[in-house]
Amino acid sequence: MADLDLHLVRGFAVVAEHRHFGRAAAELHLTQSSLSRQIVRLEQQVGARLLDRTPQGTRLTEAGEAFLPLAADLLRAAAHAVAHARSVARPSRITVGYTGNLIVTPALRELRRHHPGADVRAQHLAWDDARAALLEHRVDAAVVRLPLRAAGLHVTILYDEPRVVLLPADHRLAGKESVTLDDIADEPLPRALDPEWDAFWRVDPRPDGRPAPGGPLIDAIEDKIELVASGQAVAIIPAAPGNVTGFRPDLTTVPLTGVEPSQVAVATRAGERNRLVAAFRKYAEGLLTPPE
């Protein structure tokens, strides 16, 4: 069995990502000649040529194409093993992730009060990054909005949030006391890459089985806001204090009736043994409640 040097494997992965030795060397803070020597050493360890240089840059050989996904898995597994060992060896440290405009401060304050010697940190996460951040040990707990794929996680619902429709301030429905799905039956709704998230926040399919209207595919919340503000779509969002209408006077929200509320939850890794994680979960359940 080859004794692979993970340092060399990472160099290969970066070259494969950029398809260019110069750009890969710059990212790795190496000279191109040094990086080239590393790739040669890796190819010797693997016993196959992995990369070919061409006038257009660098391409993967057939062996390189086969090796790349396994190399990526190897690097992730190594990072996971190191992070997991550190979390067990240093139970006096915890990083709590949170998404959107969710507030975790009361639970963190209580955690610091009961564990004054602990290193307690908070880290903002993108709306679709919580699960990966937990499984990759970038955070130890996360306060998130559902849906969230729960395999490998321990998820506890903290509270419900009503849902509202985000509209341009001059929209025909602006100012109404409430609206239903029938009122926005023909309104385009921005689509998300995650199928569960997309289905929940677009209410797709509708209760009568019809598909929700289509809309632009977006990845960032900011893009969704701009689409709505420009009149290209409306969006279903949580009725959370401090939502976008607080700093966008050209937008407004109207309560959406006849749909289940969104839910805020705390998630941790299944089988987590860090005592601080258990303590945070307890404080989150007791202190993180629906805002006024």
Side-chain angles (χ1 to χ4, degrees), residues 89-95 108-121 274-276 279 283:
R90 296 186 300 187
S92 61
R93 177 177 178 178
I94 181 175
T95 300
L108 293 181
R109 283 180 175 169
E110 193 71 2
L111 188 62
R112 292 187 181 105
R113 187 170 74 86
H114 285 275
H115 302 272
D119 181 4
V120 179
R121 305 181 183 187
N274 187 331
R275 62 189 176 90
L276 293 177
Y283 302 141

Side-chain angles (χ1 to χ4, degrees), residues 35-85:
L35 181 56
S36 293
R37 289 193 296 270
Q38 287 189 11
I39 297 301
V40 170
R41 287 171 54 200
L42 177 64
E43 289 173 334
Q44 290 171 345
Q45 291 181 3
V46 174
R49 187 170 182 81
L50 303 174
L51 294 165
D52 282 333
R53 293 197 185 213
T54 70
Q56 291 75 34
T58 304
R59 68 175 183 85
L60 292 167
T61 64
E62 187 175 354
E65 293 279 5
F67 182 66
L68 180 58
L70 301 177
D73 290 343
L74 184 62
L75 292 170
R76 280 193 294 267
H80 174 83
V82 170
H84 184 58

Side-chain angles (χ1 to χ4, degrees), residues 24 33 35 38 46 76 95 102 111 131 147 158 160 205 210 235 248 251 269 282:
S33 59
L35 181 56
Q38 287 189 11
V46 174
R76 280 193 294 267
T95 300
L102 297 176
L111 188 62
R131 175 178 169 79
L158 298 176
D160 291 345
R210 290 182 300 168
R248 289 291 301 254
L251 295 172
R269 290 179 289 275
K282 181 180 73 172

Side-chain angles (χ1 to χ4, degrees), residues 189-221:
L189 294 163
R191 294 177 295 119
L193 292 170
D194 182 279
E196 289 183 73
W197 187 271
D198 184 75
F200 181 80
W201 287 104
R202 296 175 67 243
V203 194
D204 186 24
R206 296 293 162 83
D208 60 5
R210 290 182 300 168
L217 183 66
I218 59 98
D219 187 36
I221 298 297

